[in-house]
Amino acid sequence: MTALPPMAATRTTCPYCGVGCGVLARPDGAGGLAPVQGDPDHPANRGRLCGKGRSLADTLGGAGRLTRARLHGRPVALDAALDRVAAGFAATLARKGPSGVAFYLSGQMLTEDYYAANKLAKGFLCTANVDTNSRLCMSSTVAGHVRAFGEDLVPGAYDDLDGCDLAVLVGSNAAWCHPVLFGRLMDARGSRGTRLVVIDPRRTETAAGADLHLPIRPGGDVALYQFLLVEAARRGLIAAPAAIGLADALADARADTPDLAAAADLTGLTPDSLHRFADMVLATDRTVTLFSQGVNQSGAGTDKVNAILNLDIALGRIGRPGAGPFSLTGQPNAMGGREVGGLANQLAAHLGFSDAERAMVGRFWGTDTVATGPGLKAVEMIDALEDGRIEAIWIIGTNPAVSLPDAGRFRRALARCPLVVVSDCVTGTDTQALAHILLPAAGWSEKDGTVTNSERRISRQRAVLPAPGDALPDWRLIQAVARRLGFGHAFDWRHPSEIFDEHARLSAEAARHFGRRFDIGGLAGLGRQGYDALAPVQWPVPVSRNGPQSGPRNGQLGHAGTARLTLSGDGARMVAVRHRRPDDQPDTDFPLVLNTGRLRDQWHTMTRTGRAARLAAHSPEPCLALHPADAAATGVQDGDIATVTGRRGACLLRVVIDAGQRPGEAFAPIHWSDAFAAEAAIGRIASPVTDPLSGQPELKHAAIRVERWQPDWAGILVDRSTAAPLRRGVRLPRYWTRHAVEAGRALIMAADDGRPVDADGWRSLANRLARGFGAAIDTSPPIELFDGGRGRMRIAWTGSDGRIAAVMALAPRHDDLPAVANLARLLDPAADRGPSAPPLLRLALLADHDPAGDGGGVAEPAVCACAGIGRSAILAAAGTAGDMTARLNRITETTGAGGGCGSCRGAIRELLAHDLVTA
Ligand SMILES: Nc1nc2c(c(=O)[nH]1)N[C@H]1C(S)=C(S)[C@@H](COP(=O)(O)OP(=O)(O)OC[C@H]3O[C@@H](n4cnc5c(=O)[nH]c(N)nc54)[C@H](O)[C@@H]3O)O[C@H]1N2
Ligand SMILES: Nc1nc2c(c(=O)[nH]1)N[C@H]1C(S)=C(S)[C@@H](COP(=O)(O)OP(=O)(O)OC[C@H]3O[C@@H](n4cnc5c(=O)[nH]c(N)nc54)[C@H](O)[C@@H]3O)O[C@H]1N2
Ligand code: SF4
Ligand SMILES: [Mo]
């Protein structure tokens, strides 16, 4: 590898979404990372990053990091913990056979980690009970690709987004979930006038900036694409009349949507908008269709995928520049996990379980104990844990106690399992609370390997920092257990480059024997240096194209790769599908439908993004978005807390009224767990019904009932210890939620029944909360202010250094609480001079920061996360002169808002439009 200049940053890849942005990272000299930057040379992002990527340095290290192995909660030597894991698995295998053990993996593991886990289980423990959170994420797309293309292939590339004239986003909130790609689409809009259509029941921020938003009835996507196919035939636009399966697919499409009225009925869309949509799609050759979880997470997910693919096959748009279907992958290595066979129904290298495939893989691995057939899928594992078929499970890089559907039942089932091993890099996740053994994993910035993004591009993640304590990369932990089980010879790697090399060679074998298109044989034999210098490359990279194609550039070695896959002749087939309704339908007891998904600035269960104050500002509390009509019918108002009850569980969420919801449908984010809120883990409500082909659960559709909960008091606590564990044995309030507000400071919002009657009552409530939430306060008497008439209390405690360590405000109603920023300021050394400060001064501070009626509780959220700019600053900067473009430019010039990843540009546009209307 050409040495980078001494102070140069390391090129690595963002560990969050499947866009796979390149980042530049360098140590800050104090054990952490300096703020990371986008890599201008990475083809996925060309220097851009979204707010999550930009905040990576804020999420590392410090308290809350898992640095030592634990056995039943107590720290133990790593070797001892690994001995226990191996002995436990060996005993379970002896007792129950291979089907009694299981692995639950993650699309956030690196390819090398994934390969190691899969090889151990499917090759040596003879079990295919290896599934991954990708089952909840991409499995319908995998099944749809296999039906249409015979293999899990994404034909297109990101270049198609730059070069399309129409982008259709189906069930994708890309402005929030794939922000940098959305930014590329926005650029194409500016440069070539690319139009945008968004198909989503909700008016998301992605939809807000679109030329056309189709607020489809949940589950209506198959019918919508049937209608387009029927229209294409009616207008004589079928470009591939010889396409395999056309006649059957068209017959079924006609059966579902014989005419416009039928299509309007099934999709809940107006005939007018259907017509307009058909005109746009059918008349625009360069149309890219991007799809994500609104498609996959459905009981009809695979059929939705094939309905979309059918249209592109019929119109001859597969593999053409600027056109075709494009599955947006969720996790950074969702694609890489599929390459190594991370799903229970795959073997490795895109192979299945036929005798010939098993024999070949067995020869390659040097084993005769290859699993004989598919294993249990994620949701099936819940049943198997419940009825004792699985008695040992190793969970790596995922938090299923939060993210699986019917999560309450999963937790009970896991609690019955005699051996639960969890590998993670942070402490305190909900899943860990049910584990017997915790293994400390090295995290992003500490480990080396590869990931594959949505466009089949393999990029290196590179280590920048040493792993703390006993933490090891996941493949090392897996290798250590494999050795203890007697398989050391097959897990003899010294560096991830050797695992990658084995994976590359296996893919070449699979391609040679079974004609698989997934072939990275050209990346075999790189050696450690070549691997370290590997530049981002799109598979296939077959052997014939071996050898570096370009010399070292910026210290990296380029290979040719394949931008676009052509799938001609029998390479693509149409599949006959029929419309089906989602399963968990509303009735009189559960009259509304709950849709779930993501927020812009949080990542999944918040174990990392939850530590960054600037990411919390956008949406600090777990919320439920309700249409105004449903809110009125339910008797809840904006800002109320509501009990949300489904058929399997309940949550307590803050109501947000949102006219962008379809009437009858609510939306809640997936991010909160028991570690961050009292009762907000939405997985407890989510439905475990699965797609019959892919096994992917219908996470976007559950019947619910919403009721107002009127607590007797509300409070906020600002505290200096961000990650303090919750104190056991202390009664916590029924509602609480916490997040980081500023570096090293946590904010807790709380509410409960039982209003104190006097100052003593409020004081003891405040003390109980401060201790329960682990505030680092000493025993000196707090400074307090009490307004008996209105029942409001302000109280400040000092820490062992004599400075104010925690401040709390309590009041009968949420609206009576002061602004958080005002309270937080009291912890500022500039405001509180520490032990030398006269007590009266502190009292004045407390009073000072209690301006009557400033209410609101929460600071203004950032509209632009990259620049940290809120609504008022944007409106102020916009001025009134000039047209929309002039005003947008002025905002970016003066505040920087909209100039980063660009994902907020739609929101700013809408803000300005709204501002014009109100003016
Ligand atoms: N900020 C952020 N970004 C992320 C993640 C994150 O946690 N946070 N996670 C990453 C991961 S793993 C994934 S999988 C992706 C997910 O990325 P997306 O799929 O874009 O995100 P979601 O919010 O899960 O769901 C997308 C939309 O599907 C809509 N939808 C629901 N039901 C239907 C339906 O029946 N039809 C249609 N057409 N739409 C429907 C929802 O209203 C929602 O707006 O995001 C990735 N990026
Ligand atoms: N209702 C509902 N449920 C959903 C979804 C939805 O839309 N609605 N979406 C589903 C989807 S698409 C997804 S992808 C899942 C995501 O759900 P999860 O995978 O459960 O969520 P994460 O918080 O990403 O969990 C990753 C865990 O791995 C840890 N970790 C991070 N890096 C490493 C590492 O290098 N090694 C190890 N060993 N651990 C590491 C993190 O600290 C964290 O605890 O949620 C699914 N669940
Ligand atoms: S879009 Fe954001 S979260 Fe996704 S890879 Fe890029 S920087 Fe990371
Ligand atoms: Mo995902």
Side-chain angles (χ1 to χ4, degrees):
M1 176 173 163
T2 310
L4 295 167
M7 279 310 289
T10 301
R11 280 166 210 286
T12 180
T13 311
C14 175
Y16 297 127
C17 83
V19 176
C21 296
V23 305
L24 300 175
R26 58 165 73 79
D28 64 358
L33 283 189
V36 306
Q37 290 164 309
D39 179 354
D41 291 329
H42 198 289
N45 58 317
R46 303 172 190 146
R48 270 192 186 155
L49 291 180
C50 76
K52 293 182 295 303
R54 245 171 244 267
S55 307
L56 271 167
D58 301 349
T59 62
L60 306 173
R65 189 60 212 274
L66 182 66
T67 57
R68 299 202 53 194
R70 295 190 192 174
L71 183 64
H72 300 294
R74 275 184 300 279
V76 290
L78 181 60
D79 273 336
L82 291 165
D83 288 345
R84 292 290 284 255
V85 176
F89 267 72
T92 312
L93 284 162
R95 198 168 64 245
K96 303 199 59 109
S99 65
V101 301
F103 290 74
Y104 188 55
L105 311 177
S106 163
Q108 292 167 70
M109 293 168 76
L110 303 181
T111 298
E112 294 74 4
D113 299 330
Y114 236 136
Y115 181 91
N118 191 59
K119 179 176 177 182
L120 174 61
K122 289 183 188 150
F124 292 85
L125 307 186
C126 197
T127 180
N129 288 344
V130 180
D131 216 33
T132 136
N133 61 4
S134 284
R135 181 69 60 193
L136 318 179
C137 183
M138 304 311 307
S139 59
S140 292
T141 287
V142 174
H145 283 158
V146 170
R147 280 206 295 187
F149 307 139
E151 189 177 344
D152 178 19
L153 302 173
V154 173
Y158 292 166
D159 286 350
D160 297 330
L161 308 188
D162 309 331
C164 66
D165 294 322
L166 177 65
V168 182
L169 291 110
V170 196
S172 154
N173 186 9
W176 283 9
C177 298
H178 297 90
V180 167
L181 280 189
F182 188 72
R184 281 175 77 156
L185 281 175
M186 289 288 121
D187 287 350
R189 193 180 206 198
S191 62
R192 59 184 291 144
T194 300
R195 286 161 307 155
L196 216 70
V197 179
V198 174
I199 298 158
D200 193 310
R202 309 185 291 147
R203 188 176 164 83
T204 58
E205 218 158 88
T206 308
D211 298 271
L212 179 64
H213 170 218
L214 299 178
I216 195 165
R217 170 173 299 151
D221 307 85
V222 167
L224 179 65
Y225 275 82
Q226 304 279 54
F227 161 73
L228 289 180
L229 186 61
V230 172
E231 269 304 287
R234 198 181 63 80
R235 299 183 191 189
L237 294 173
I238 303 283
I244 301 167
L246 172 64
D248 288 345
L250 193 55
D252 274 5
R254 287 192 172 120
D256 273 344
T257 55
D259 52 27
L260 195 58
D265 185 41
L266 293 180
T267 59
L269 300 169
T270 62
D272 233 27
S273 61
L274 283 169
H275 233 294
R276 211 173 134 213
F277 179 48
D279 286 348
M280 288 168 92
V281 173
L282 298 177
T284 314
D285 273 338
R286 296 178 80 101
T287 297
V288 171
T289 308
L290 300 126
F291 55 96
S292 190
Q293 300 313 339
V295 168
N296 293 329
Q297 288 172 344
S298 156
T302 309
D303 285 351
K304 286 187 182 186
V305 170
N306 285 109
I308 292 170
L309 300 181
N310 280 351
L311 183 74
D312 278 328
I313 296 170
L315 296 175
R317 290 179 179 169
I318 308 274
R320 290 238 309 270
F326 201 107
S327 144
L328 291 174
T329 54
Q331 300 177 89
N333 204 26
M335 178 88 80
R338 286 137 68 176
E339 291 156 13
V340 302
L343 293 163
N345 51 319
Q346 308 173 321
L347 182 48
H350 282 202
L351 296 177
F353 290 94
S354 73
D355 288 346
E357 288 163 300
R358 290 178 53 243
M360 189 223 97
V361 175
R363 267 196 315 278
F364 186 87
W365 280 343
T367 175
D368 53 10
T369 49
V370 173
T372 52
L376 296 171
K377 301 186 174 92
V379 178
E380 293 169 340
M381 282 187 188
I382 307 180
D383 301 327
L385 285 162
E386 197 166 53
D387 62 28
R389 272 175 290 151
I390 294 177
E391 289 197 353
I393 186 166
W394 188 352
I395 297 166
I396 305 178
T398 174
N399 194 1
V402 185
S403 55
L404 275 177
D406 204 357
R409 186 163 70 89
F410 171 70
R411 288 173 193 227
R412 292 188 294 277
L414 196 64
R416 301 185 47 173
C417 183
L419 178 61
V420 178
V421 182
V422 172
S423 305
D424 206 307
C425 42
V426 305
T427 58
T429 70
D430 291 12
T431 305
Q432 288 174 19
L434 298 159
H436 305 107
I437 303 174
L438 300 185
L439 297 176
W444 179 81
S445 79
E446 300 157 3
K447 53 195 281 186
D448 269 293
T450 54
V451 289
T452 310
N453 73 3
S454 295
E455 60 163 356
R456 291 174 277 105
R457 191 179 294 280
I458 299 170
S459 295
R460 285 279 276 107
Q461 268 195 20
R462 297 184 174 94
V464 192
L465 299 171
D470 291 343
L472 286 179
D474 287 300
W475 69 269
R476 284 275 185 206
L477 297 170
I478 294 156
Q479 176 184 59
V481 171
R483 283 188 174 141
R484 283 166 170 76
L485 289 169
F487 308 121
H489 58 283
F491 292 81
D492 208 12
W493 313 297
R494 286 156 304 174
H495 186 264
S497 58
E498 297 174 8
I499 309 179
F500 184 80
D501 184 71
E502 187 178 315
H503 168 54
R505 284 186 289 111
L506 177 57
S507 78
E509 290 281 295
R512 190 158 64 86
H513 290 284
F514 301 100
R516 290 292 182 266
R517 297 288 294 270
F518 171 67
D519 179 357
I520 55 168
L523 298 177
L526 288 176
R528 181 163 172 180
Q529 282 190 351
Y531 177 80
D532 278 340
L534 181 66
V537 58
Q538 282 173 285
W539 64 256
V541 196
V543 179
S544 55
R545 269 177 258 164
N546 197 2
Q549 303 294 311
S550 59
R553 195 176 59 103
N554 296 322
Q556 299 195 91
L557 224 47
H559 289 74
T562 312
R564 224 168 266 108
L565 291 175
T566 46
L567 298 155
S568 49
D570 62 358
R573 59 180 62 223
M574 294 175 65
V575 179
V577 294
R578 288 300 300 268
H579 164 83
R580 289 198 301 281
R581 307 198 299 173
D583 174 81
D584 194 357
Q585 288 290 330
D587 58 18
T588 45
D589 288 338
F590 301 98
L592 300 173
V593 166
L594 180 69
N595 172 11
T596 60
R598 288 151 174 82
L599 296 175
R600 187 186 69 187
D601 292 349
Q602 292 298 349
W603 177 261
H604 295 167
T605 68
M606 292 167 58
T607 63
R608 289 172 288 167
T609 45
R611 298 158 154 242
R614 61 173 154 169
L615 294 179
H618 178 253
S619 200
E621 274 184 277
C623 52
L624 180 80
L626 272 184
H627 186 270
D630 294 323
T634 316
V636 295
Q637 291 177 356
D638 200 70
D640 277 352
I641 299 176
T643 314
V644 182
T645 313
R647 295 201 161 93
R648 292 154 290 272
C651 286
L652 219 48
L653 306 171
R654 181 87 61 194
V655 172
V656 176
I657 308 282
D658 179 357
Q661 289 292 131
R662 276 171 57 100
E665 289 164 26
F667 178 85
I670 60 172
H671 305 294
W672 277 266
S673 66
D674 292 1
F676 286 90
E679 278 184 76
I682 214 75
R684 290 200 171 94
I685 297 178
S687 163
V689 162
T690 56
D691 177 287
L693 288 154
S694 68
Q696 179 154 357
E698 188 151 72
L699 294 167
K700 298 266 184 269
H701 203 278
I704 52 161
R705 164 172 81 230
V706 175
E707 289 149 309
R708 178 161 190 247
W709 176 57
Q710 171 77 59
D712 291 329
W713 59 263
I716 45 183
L717 171 71
V718 188
D719 157 31
R720 267 201 310 217
S721 46
T722 322
L726 303 182
R727 198 68 55 87
R728 282 175 199 209
V730 179
R731 192 173 67 80
L732 294 175
R734 173 143 184 242
Y735 181 88
W736 63 264
T737 156
R738 66 163 171 177
H739 64 270
V741 265
E742 280 168 56
R745 281 172 210 177
L747 169 69
I748 287 139
M749 305 261 188
D752 206 344
D753 299 321
R755 185 176 304 163
V757 291
D758 55 14
D760 278 349
W762 286 103
R763 185 180 307 119
S764 75
L765 171 62
N767 277 310
R768 174 163 66 80
L769 293 172
R771 288 179 206 291
F773 287 111
I777 56 179
D778 66 6
T779 48
S780 21
I783 309 146
E784 56 176 64
L785 265 183
F786 182 60
D787 172 351
R790 291 185 293 180
R792 296 184 189 180
M793 175 156 273
R794 308 282 177 275
I795 183 163
W797 297 267
T798 48
S800 52
D801 58 357
R803 289 185 181 285
I804 293 181
V807 191
M808 176 149 220
L810 288 166
R813 287 165 358 116
H814 183 71
D815 289 350
D816 301 331
L817 296 170
V820 169
N822 288 344
L823 277 188
R825 228 167 283 144
L826 280 161
L827 304 185
D828 208 330
D832 173 40
R833 283 185 278 134
S836 63
L840 266 179
L841 179 68
R842 286 181 158 174
L843 203 58
L845 275 174
L846 205 57
D848 236 21
H849 292 90
D850 180 25
D854 67 337
V858 189
E860 187 180 75
V863 174
C864 171
C866 303
I869 304 294
R871 180 175 179 275
S872 352
I874 285 175
L875 289 177
T880 45
D883 61 1
M884 177 68 85
T885 314
R887 297 176 82 209
L888 282 170
N889 288 341
R890 205 175 309 127
I891 291 167
T892 307
E893 275 159 28
T894 53
T895 68
C901 71
S903 70
C904 64
R905 272 184 269 174
I908 296 179
R909 200 176 265 275
E910 195 170 47
L911 196 62
L912 293 188
H914 182 74
D915 187 44
L916 281 181
V917 174
T918 45

